[in-house]
């Protein structure tokens, strides 16, 4: 497949009718391939940056509309009546189910597998409507409290933007895949304020192509989107971490244990998600109703643990500065696994990266709290023994 046919993008006929001169000039410019790709990478970066900013504002809009309040999401959730926490995720799930079922089935789930599938099977072709359906469905899902993240959706939104641009100008199949990578990198970079991470995610996870002709435009797009994001959202880090200093090599022992436990918890998360997804697939229930049922089940958890709603970044901040007791940390870790599995397994729209950060933060906080009680005295005894041995020598 060398070129994308006109029939692939009938929705762009209006654009071609009103701006034929611009389209023709850029298509002629397409003959100087690398210059054209770099130019389009900048354009995709701008669109991806504004898309990430708009997506976050849309999430905030729906969260404020449904729950009210100008404070942090967790503070607002803890202050509203329990019935809001129970039923609003169900209402959000119903809206999301209808949107996805009627307009774009590929907008369900966390987005990244759908992008990989489009690159591997369809040569990078993504329907332009996915940009709008995914943005609207995921923002409603997250704003209503569903336990998903915004990173996967913005990767799919950016990829759909890049694919749409490639379809407008009828680029070659190779360049279309590159444009998809540019869009994904732009979205990730703008969301995380991390241009290098966005570029590496795109070339390693989505494309698997480190050639200069693909990598350089992806970097350009990623940096461009980051500039847009920093202008509107600032350049502060996503989380505030207390100062930390490595004092002794003995500290690597609990890190080794933490890595083993993290791998086990990650496996549990994946298996739970697949099991819940299989369960909802077997239900004799209309497809568009399943996210509502998942939202209602999530609401039962949210009555007692509203920390699991949305991205959960407020609770992660609390865990990082040791404001949560160990019992709550362990409970939130398992509750988030179940909550995210209910949301995505039932057909909701959102990412798994933020839930993974949440689960890891709760697990690390619990082990850190436990370790500070039990490992620190042992560590101090080893230090005294070491210094005493040197003194005796």
């Amino acid at each position: 497949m060398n070129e994308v046919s006109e029939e692939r993008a009938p929705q762009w006929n209006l654009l071609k009718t009103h701006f034929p001169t611009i389209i023709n000039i850029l298509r002629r410019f397409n003959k100087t391939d690398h210059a054209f790709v770099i130019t389009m990478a900048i354009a995709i970066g701008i669109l991806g940056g504004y898309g990430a900013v708009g997506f976050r504002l849309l999430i905030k809009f729906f969260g404020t509309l449904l729950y009210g309040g100008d404070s942090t999401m967790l503070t607002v959730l803890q202050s509203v009546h329990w019935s809001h926490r129970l039923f609003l995720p169900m209402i959000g799930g119903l809206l999301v189910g209808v949107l996805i079922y009627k307009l774009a089935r590929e907008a369900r789930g966390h987005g990244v597998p759908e992008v990989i599938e489009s690159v591997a099977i369809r040569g990078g072709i993504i329907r332009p409507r996915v940009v709008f359906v995914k943005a609207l469905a995921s923002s409603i899902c997250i704003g209503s409290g569903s336990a998903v993240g915004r990173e996967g959706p913005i990767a799919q939104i950016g990829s759909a933007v890049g694919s749409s641009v490639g379809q407008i100008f009828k680029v070659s199949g190779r360049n279309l895949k590159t444009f998809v990578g540019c869009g994904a990198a732009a979205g990730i970079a703008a969301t995380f304020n991390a241009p290098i991470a966005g570029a590496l995610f795109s070339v390693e996870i989505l494309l698997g192509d480190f050639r200069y002709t693909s990598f350089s435009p992806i970097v350009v797009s990623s940096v461009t989107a980051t500039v847009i994001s920093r202008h509107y959202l600032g350049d502060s880090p996503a989380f505030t971490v207390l100062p930390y200093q490595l004092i002794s090599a003995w500290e690597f022992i609990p890190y080794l244990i933490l890595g083993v436990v993290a791998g086990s918890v990650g496996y549990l998360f994946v298996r739970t998600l697949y099991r819940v997804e299989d369960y909802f697939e077997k239900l004799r229930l209309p497809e568009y109703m399943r996210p509502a049922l998942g939202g209602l089940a999530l609401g039962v958890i949210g009555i007692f643990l509203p920390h699991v709603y949305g991205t959960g970044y407020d609770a992660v901040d609390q865990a990082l500065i040791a404001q949560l007791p160990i019992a709550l940390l362990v409970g939130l870790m398992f509750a988030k696994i179940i909550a995210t599995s209910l949301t995505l397994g039932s057909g909701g729209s959102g990412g798994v990266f933020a839930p993974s950060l949440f689960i890891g933060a709760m697990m690390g906080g619990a082990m850190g709290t436990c370790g500070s009680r039990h490992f620190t005295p042992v560590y101090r005894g080893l230090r005294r023994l070491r210094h005493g041995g040197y003194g005796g020598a």
Side-chain angles (χ1 to χ4, degrees):
M1 182 179 62
N2 294 323
E3 292 188 347
V4 179
S5 63
E6 294 282 351
E7 289 76 11
R8 297 282 191 181
Q11 63 276 4
W12 302 113
N13 290 334
L14 183 63
L15 178 63
K16 288 184 278 188
T17 300
H18 288 83
F19 303 99
T21 304
I22 297 175
I23 299 292
N24 289 332
I25 290 173
L26 288 172
R27 282 179 177 171
R28 285 196 295 270
F29 187 40
N30 188 9
K31 295 178 181 179
T32 58
D33 192 61
H34 192 64
F36 172 78
V37 171
I38 293 296
T39 303
M40 291 296 100
I42 296 173
I44 293 170
I46 294 173
L47 293 173
Y50 277 108
V53 173
F55 182 54
R56 292 182 65 167
L57 293 176
L58 204 57
I59 294 172
K60 185 176 181 180
F61 168 76
F62 283 113
T64 304
L65 178 67
L66 294 173
Y67 291 99
D70 296 324
S71 187
T72 62
M73 184 69 172
L74 180 57
T75 303
V76 172
L77 286 167
Q78 290 173 328
S79 63
V80 300
H81 193 264
W82 65 268
S83 60
H84 293 184
R85 298 200 294 269
L86 175 62
F87 293 112
L88 286 180
M90 179 187 70
I91 295 172
L94 180 60
L95 294 174
V96 169
V98 172
L99 274 172
I100 293 174
Y101 183 79
K102 295 294 184 181
L103 299 178
R105 300 287 186 89
E106 60 267 44
R108 65 173 291 178
H110 48 98
V112 175
E114 288 75 16
V115 176
I116 295 175
E117 179 183 345
S118 71
V119 171
I121 299 177
R122 295 189 295 274
I125 295 175
I126 303 174
R127 293 192 295 172
R129 70 171 63 182
V130 172
V131 175
F132 307 102
V133 177
K134 187 69 175 182
L136 190 57
S138 295
S139 58
I140 293 174
C141 210
I142 299 171
S144 64
S146 295
V148 288
R150 58 179 182 245
E151 293 76 22
I154 196 58
Q156 188 176 11
I157 293 168
S159 298
V161 168
S163 179
S164 300
V165 171
Q167 292 177 61
I168 292 173
F169 297 107
K170 299 194 298 183
V171 299
S172 65
R174 184 185 68 181
N175 284 343
L176 184 61
K177 293 180 181 180
T178 300
F179 284 7
V180 170
C182 287
I188 293 295
T191 299
F192 281 107
N193 189 22
I196 296 177
L200 292 179
F201 169 86
S202 183
V203 297
E204 184 176 1
I205 303 299
L206 298 183
L207 302 183
D209 185 0
F210 283 88
R211 289 179 299 179
Y212 170 77
T213 53
S214 298
F215 186 67
S216 56
I218 287 174
V219 171
V220 169
S221 186
S222 181
V223 171
T224 304
T226 305
V227 172
I228 300 294
S229 174
R230 289 188 179 185
H231 175 73
Y232 290 97
L233 304 176
D235 59 353
S236 58
F239 302 108
T240 303
V241 183
L242 294 175
Y244 173 75
Q245 182 180 4
L246 184 68
I247 299 175
S248 169
W250 289 104
E251 295 179 44
F252 286 106
I253 296 177
Y255 294 150
L256 177 63
I257 299 172
L258 179 67
V260 174
V261 175
S264 302
V265 172
Y267 176 78
L268 175 65
F269 180 30
V270 173
R271 294 299 300 171
T272 303
L273 177 57
Y274 286 152
R275 288 288 180 88
V276 173
E277 191 175 37
D278 291 341
Y279 172 78
F280 276 97
E281 287 291 338
K282 295 176 182 177
L283 283 180
R284 294 182 178 179
L285 195 68
E287 188 174 335
Y288 59 86
M289 290 292 296
R290 294 173 188 171
L293 180 59
L296 181 61
L298 168 65
V300 175
I301 300 174
I303 292 175
F304 307 99
L305 295 172
H307 307 71
V308 302
Y309 277 7
T311 60
Y313 284 165
D314 297 334
V316 171
D317 281 328
Q318 292 183 355
L320 288 172
I321 58 178
Q323 287 187 348
L324 300 178
I326 185 170
L328 182 58
L329 289 166
V330 175
L332 288 175
M333 179 184 71
F334 289 108
K336 189 71 170 183
I337 291 175
I338 298 172
T340 302
S341 300
L342 287 170
T343 301
L344 293 177
S346 63
S349 180
V352 295
F353 189 82
S356 299
L357 286 178
F358 183 100
I359 294 166
M362 299 305 131
M363 179 200 64
M367 293 191 65
T369 303
C370 183
S372 65
R373 295 177 182 174
H374 303 289
F375 182 77
T376 301
V378 176
Y379 167 65
R380 288 174 178 171
L382 289 172
R383 288 192 68 188
R384 285 196 295 270
L385 180 63
R386 176 188 175 188
H387 291 302
Y390 284 138

